[in-house]
Amino acid sequence: MPNTGVEEEYYRLRHFSITGKGVINRGDSLKSRRSRSNNSVASSNSSNEHLTAPPVTQSTRNSATHSLASSRESSTSNPGNGPYRVLMMGGPAVGKSSLVSQFMTSEYLHAYDTSIDDDSGEKSVSVLLSGEESELIFIDHPYAEMTPDDCLACYDPHGYCVIYSASDRESFNVAEHILQVLWTNQNIAQKAVILVANKADLARSRLISADEGKAMATAYDCKFIETSVGINHNVDELLVGLLSQIRLKLENPEKSRDMFRKRSIRKSKRRACSPLSGACLSGNANVNTPLGPMANVISDVSTPPGSAHSSPRKYRGSRTSTSLKVKGLLGRVWARDSKSKSCENLHVL
């Protein structure tokens, strides 16, 4: 930086645009903090403090609680700029810290460097999108230090990034549990929620297909994307998608709640406790019993729409109903395809 004789602080500004071809990275630039408005000075100083990524202590958690309150006031008075807080959630070793580190810069980072896992806490990045500059603060705690349930109890962010590894079935179960908690607390109706399948480049060790991830995202009315920090795949798209979803939720709160309410009514007629539980409201089903891992419900999700388990009883085994079954199957496939496309579009509600 040029030596002007005046000590001045700069921050990194990432510039993106959304075109018909997708998200375009326009590069990063250094910007003087003096150019920011007075409303964002506090959040800028907070951003500068976390560049060193200090270890998370009790005092750090207390300061995070105080900064959360100031973030709410700032976002209310200036919703276009934020700062917006995003809670990174998921099981151990799914790549939360690696994703956050790559969010900070357009330069490629070595995603498999294990030292990145120790670089947790809170980090902030400024993004220029659609002519508006916003600050995103990512809250990332190691799984051993704070479980997803602890994070949900401690924070009330603007958005949630729920991450699992495409090569780890247990992390997929943890992600399902998180989505269930968000669903029952109606956080999905009011906050931006994106389900992320990370490590998509590990094709040989993949255990969870993209369709399975889409099915879970569709069932919980949240967005879905597959990423890979290892090859820097869809990382920029996820960053821009998080900001887009947060802005949309804040700009259209009534529309978001109405859409969630209508979908909930439709799903409550077929399922109890969880969108993926498959439990009926009748019989001995306990609506108040929380779901465990997805091991018991994967079979329900993967059951073909036209199978004996999903078809109406009066049509089972009836040869005369073949045309009706085929017509219903095609209708469900088309509807599911439409919902899957919707869950992948991170720039619309």
Side-chain angles (χ1 to χ4, degrees):
M1 299 302 299
N3 186 8
T4 59
V6 179
E7 185 176 354
E8 192 169 2
E9 295 182 352
Y10 293 85
Y11 65 95
R12 184 187 296 269
L13 178 63
R14 306 202 61 192
H15 185 191
F16 298 95
S17 60
I18 302 176
T19 66
K21 296 182 179 180
V23 174
I24 304 298
N25 188 336
R26 302 296 184 184
D28 302 354
S29 61
L30 291 178
K31 190 174 180 180
S32 171
R33 295 189 185 278
R34 290 185 177 183
S35 61
R36 280 191 171 182
S37 62
N38 293 331
N39 291 335
S40 60
V41 169
S43 62
S44 299
N45 292 334
S46 174
S47 171
N48 186 58
E49 292 174 2
H50 292 297
L51 290 177
T52 57
V56 179
T57 61
Q58 185 63 33
S59 60
T60 305
R61 295 181 187 174
N62 294 336
S63 62
T65 304
H66 293 299
S67 62
L68 174 60
S70 61
S71 299
R72 290 174 181 168
E73 296 176 0
S74 176
S75 62
T76 302
S77 60
N78 197 6
N81 296 331
Y84 303 130
R85 300 174 71 84
V86 179
L87 187 55
M88 306 293 289
M89 307 186 69
V94 296
K96 299 188 296 293
S97 300
S98 297
L99 274 171
V100 174
S101 297
Q102 191 63 71
F103 286 156
M104 300 296 110
T105 176
S106 294
E107 300 176 4
Y108 172 71
L109 302 178
H110 196 290
Y112 301 112
D113 185 357
T114 56
S115 63
I116 293 180
D117 295 335
D118 299 328
D119 194 19
S120 58
E122 290 191 18
K123 287 187 176 182
S124 66
V125 62
S126 296
V127 177
L128 182 63
L129 178 66
S130 302
E132 294 184 12
E133 180 181 337
S134 300
E135 182 182 10
L136 291 169
I137 300 176
F138 293 95
I139 306 169
D140 172 30
H141 291 293
Y143 185 86
E145 178 185 303
M146 289 188 72
T147 64
D149 292 326
D150 294 333
C151 291
L152 288 171
C154 294
Y155 295 99
D156 183 24
H158 297 86
Y160 299 89
C161 190
V162 183
I163 308 163
Y164 68 89
S165 170
S167 60
D168 184 359
R169 173 65 63 178
E170 182 59 30
S171 69
F172 189 67
N173 298 339
V174 173
E176 194 273 342
H177 171 71
I178 296 171
L179 289 179
Q180 181 199 354
V181 175
L182 294 176
W183 173 276
T184 54
N185 294 334
Q186 294 193 354
N187 282 318
I188 292 181
Q190 305 170 7
K191 308 293 181 67
V193 180
I194 298 181
L195 178 64
V196 181
N198 195 30
K199 303 185 181 182
D201 59 309
L202 304 181
R204 293 184 178 181
S205 56
R206 176 188 281 267
L207 297 177
I208 298 94
S209 66
D211 289 339
E212 198 170 348
K214 291 178 187 178
M216 187 161 74
T218 302
Y220 284 97
D221 287 328
C222 64
K223 300 297 181 179
F224 173 80
I225 188 172
E226 284 201 332
T227 63
S228 170
V229 192
I231 58 177
N232 202 11
H233 172 64
N234 277 347
V235 177
D236 288 342
E237 284 74 5
L238 174 57
L239 175 62
V240 175
L242 282 166
L243 178 55
S244 298
Q245 284 297 304
I246 291 174
R247 286 180 177 179
L248 289 169
K249 291 284 186 176
L250 291 177
E251 293 171 359
N252 306 279
E254 294 299 330
K255 180 179 179 181
S256 300
R257 282 192 286 267
D258 290 343
M259 292 174 61
F260 178 82
R261 192 178 300 111
K262 291 178 182 178
R263 292 167 181 169
S264 299
I265 293 174
R266 289 197 301 266
K267 290 179 179 180
S268 64
K269 296 178 180 179
R270 305 188 303 269
R271 307 176 179 94
C273 181
S274 166
L276 291 184
S277 67
C280 298
L281 291 174
S282 59
N284 297 325
N286 187 355
V287 177
N288 297 321
T289 303
L291 274 185
M294 280 190 61
N296 296 328
V297 301
I298 294 300
S299 59
D300 293 333
V301 176
S302 59
T303 300
S307 66
H309 296 288
S310 61
S311 57
R313 179 174 299 178
K314 63 180 180 179
Y315 290 139
R316 294 176 188 172
S318 174
R319 297 181 179 180
T320 59
S321 63
T322 303
S323 60
L324 294 176
K325 288 183 179 179
V326 172
K327 187 179 297 184
L329 174 62
L330 292 176
R332 293 183 184 181
V333 169
W334 289 332
R336 180 177 300 177
D337 182 66
S338 176
K339 291 179 181 178
S340 297
K341 290 181 180 178
S342 176
C343 84
E344 290 181 288
N345 192 342
L346 306 186
H347 311 300
V348 298
L349 284 176

